[in-house]
Amino acid sequence: MAWLSHLDLLSTLERGLRRAALPLRFSEGFNPHILIAFGPAHPVGLRSEGEYFDLDFREAPPTDWCTRVNGVLPHGLRIEAAEEIPMQSKALMAIIDIAEYQILLPETALEACQRACAEFLALETCPIERHSPKGIKTVDIRPAVLVLEANAKGLRLLCRIGVPGSPRPAEVLAATLPGIAAAGIIRTGLYISDMNGAGHYNKIF
């Protein structure tokens, strides 16, 4: 599942929803599609434990609808929970602005993690180069890193997304522990900034 693109993930989930024979709401027009909307796309190659999507029903679904869908989804993809939300709720893409990652590291690198995190957070700027078909671009990823701390598995990263300089976990790792390769990267959560400016980060639900 980690290697599915965002569009492939959406297509796979839509097939599961259709197979579960739920009372789904479809768009109008020549080519109707399920009214479903995802949050920010997860990078290809990263496992994820915290994605969200909004789904419209034309009538109340059965209480076990998540179980029914999970029964027809491929191994490694499942719905963990569902909650009813008001129809006028803002789009996930518009409100989710923070992502949490666990960067898994080899045991030999764990001892240096705490000091490396402190050194990174002490930086005022952290410019990196990004290569693309359009050329090389320099971006400063330091302002978008909110939390970087060591734990028993490696590094926990909390960062802003959807803003200039949004860091990729691999970029933060390269700037923190140069030459160390991650044993894996997991997106563990998506959050909404506290609208009151209190510095808190709220789970979607």
Side-chain angles (χ1 to χ4, degrees):
M1 291 299 106
W3 294 102
L4 288 184
S5 70
H6 185 64
L7 291 178
D8 288 335
L9 178 63
L10 177 58
S11 176
T12 302
L13 183 57
E14 284 187 348
R15 289 192 182 106
L17 291 167
R18 290 173 183 266
R19 288 176 183 143
L22 301 176
L24 303 168
R25 188 186 298 276
F26 287 79
S27 64
E28 299 179 359
F30 181 76
N31 186 26
H33 61 272
I34 298 172
L35 292 180
I36 183 173
F38 265 76
H42 77 287
V44 175
L46 270 65
R47 290 166 48 198
S48 180
E49 299 173 347
E51 302 303 303
Y52 293 86
F53 67 93
D54 290 340
L55 179 64
D56 283 9
F57 292 98
R58 66 176 185 272
E59 60 186 53
T63 56
D64 66 341
W65 73 269
C66 289
T67 301
R68 287 170 55 174
V69 176
N70 286 337
V72 293
L73 288 176
H75 177 71
L77 180 63
R78 62 179 288 108
I79 300 173
E80 295 289 349
E83 181 175 294
E84 185 176 358
I85 60 173
M87 287 295 293
Q88 65 272 21
S89 297
K90 293 183 179 179
L92 292 171
M93 288 289 290
I95 58 175
I96 295 175
D97 59 353
I98 294 172
E100 181 181 39
Y101 299 92
Q102 175 65 51
I103 303 174
L104 305 175
L105 296 177
E107 290 187 10
T108 53
L110 295 179
E111 186 175 342
C113 283
Q114 191 167 355
R115 184 180 66 181
C117 289
E119 291 175 350
F120 178 89
L121 295 175
L123 298 174
E124 293 185 3
T125 64
C126 183
I128 60 142
E129 290 186 347
R130 287 181 180 165
H131 297 253
S132 72
K134 296 182 179 180
I136 301 174
K137 181 179 180 181
T138 300
V139 296
D140 181 10
I141 63 173
R142 177 61 188 90
V145 176
L146 302 173
V147 175
L148 182 64
E149 59 186 15
N151 57 29
K153 297 180 180 180
L155 299 175
R156 173 179 173 257
L157 168 66
L158 202 67
C159 61
R160 297 194 182 279
I161 55 177
V163 298
S166 294
R168 300 161 185 164
E171 294 172 339
V172 176
L173 176 60
T176 306
L177 293 165
I180 302 297
I185 301 175
I186 307 171
R187 184 149 86 177
T188 53
L190 292 171
Y191 300 84
I192 303 169
S193 294
D194 188 337
M195 300 304 177
N196 296 321
H200 299 140
Y201 314 113
N202 306 310
K203 281 271 191 177
I204 306 304
F205 68 83

